[in-house]
Amino acid sequence: MQREAPTLAHVARLAAVSENTVSRVIRNKGPIAEETRKRVIAAIDSLGYVPNRAAGSLASSSSLIIGVLLPSLSNIVFPEVLHGIHAALADTSYQAMIGVTDYDLLQEQKLLSSLLAWQPAAIVTTGFDHTDTSRRMLEQSGIRIAELMDIDDRPIDIAVGLSHRRAGRESARHLVGRGYRRIGYVGHDWSADRRAHFRYEGLRQGLQEAGLSLAAEFRFEGASSTMAGREALAQLLGGGHGVDAVVFSNDDMAVGGFMHCLGAGLAIPERLALFGFNGLDIGQALPRPLSTIRSNRFLIGRTAVEKLLEARERPTEPQIIDTGFEIVDGATA
């Protein structure tokens, strides 16, 4: 059963102050003792309270906002998701209000609080990772919530995306089916990318099912990039593990690995097979198109918004929508 959304009175009671004091802390108006301010902020975080900044606006204007929180707009993956979102909104009166979190959960919390204060009709976020405060705000808001890109967990409302663990397993099965046995892994920092970690876990599981294990692995200590992929593959191959194929955490890293092979004179795929994830155009523009898994990013964005707008009330049970993926054979594996 949906819990009652916390009010100003609830915050005041928990912080042991007046509602007027809570209001002044929220609006940052007037002198407030620092200890009092800390108590009020702690109560707001604990309850997941969201001030209603739309109270003085027309109800119809606030109800036409769809809040969208994306990790990045420089990574081509997320502009394609946004394209799908805009396609779903094209023939409606709704408008997307977009925030970029830079893969920072505290930044997501800050942006989420600002968006919810305008009483949007729905919120679109990326993945299942949120701060405790963000999760409380989302759960107690009562509005429709879509968590995108991942379906390997239980959503608050609806999840739209793919199973990254299954994608990792299918990577292993594909390479094993092509005759590769000494398979390595090159990745990036997982701390802000749980989905890459899930694919890694799925890869190991797929290899285990074939009676194999990773022959070698190397993770770059930082975000994924083409340069990171190039450096990381050089490090892995320098260990003398004799790998015959390498799975990369994504296509950006794999393209960097391809560049290393070109510079080192390593024949692809005769000497070394390369396999990515995402199905980006840059991978298909290589002299040998990248073997990879393509995710349906446009479909994820469009489907999420279409499902959110089907009903204003949350379903009694969370819903998971699998948009799937496809293996792109390419020419590097």
Side-chain angles (χ1 to χ4, degrees), residues 247-267:
V247 176
F248 292 80
S249 53
N250 57 38
D251 282 5
D252 286 339
M253 298 286 284
V255 169
F258 189 97
M259 297 306 175
H260 169 75
C261 291
L262 286 183
L266 297 177

Side-chain angles (χ1 to χ4, degrees), residues 149-152 161-169 322 325:
M149 310 303 289
D150 190 356
I151 60 171
D152 288 316
L162 65 144
S163 169
H164 289 264
R165 286 194 176 98
R166 186 161 67 89
R169 288 201 305 273
D322 187 353
F325 57 80

Side-chain angles (χ1 to χ4, degrees), residues 2 5 137-145 312-314:
Q2 180 68 38
M137 287 192 291
L138 289 168
E139 290 174 342
Q140 296 173 6
S141 68
I143 63 174
R144 301 300 311 275
I145 307 293
R312 295 299 296 269
E313 300 296 326
R314 290 183 188 174

Side-chain angles (χ1 to χ4, degrees), residues 104-146:
D104 185 333
L105 295 185
L106 288 176
Q107 176 67 2
E108 181 193 61
Q109 177 182 315
K110 178 180 177 181
L111 292 171
L112 180 61
S113 180
S114 296
L115 283 171
L116 287 173
W118 291 100
Q119 302 292 294
I123 290 285
V124 176
T125 69
T126 307
F128 297 116
D129 288 334
H130 313 290
T131 66
D132 290 342
T133 297
S134 291
R135 183 165 294 279
R136 281 192 292 270
M137 287 192 291
L138 289 168
E139 290 174 342
Q140 296 173 6
S141 68
I143 63 174
R144 301 300 311 275
I145 307 293

Side-chain angles (χ1 to χ4, degrees), residues 233-245:
L233 181 61
Q235 290 284 342
L236 182 137
L237 295 180
H241 303 287
V243 296
D244 56 11

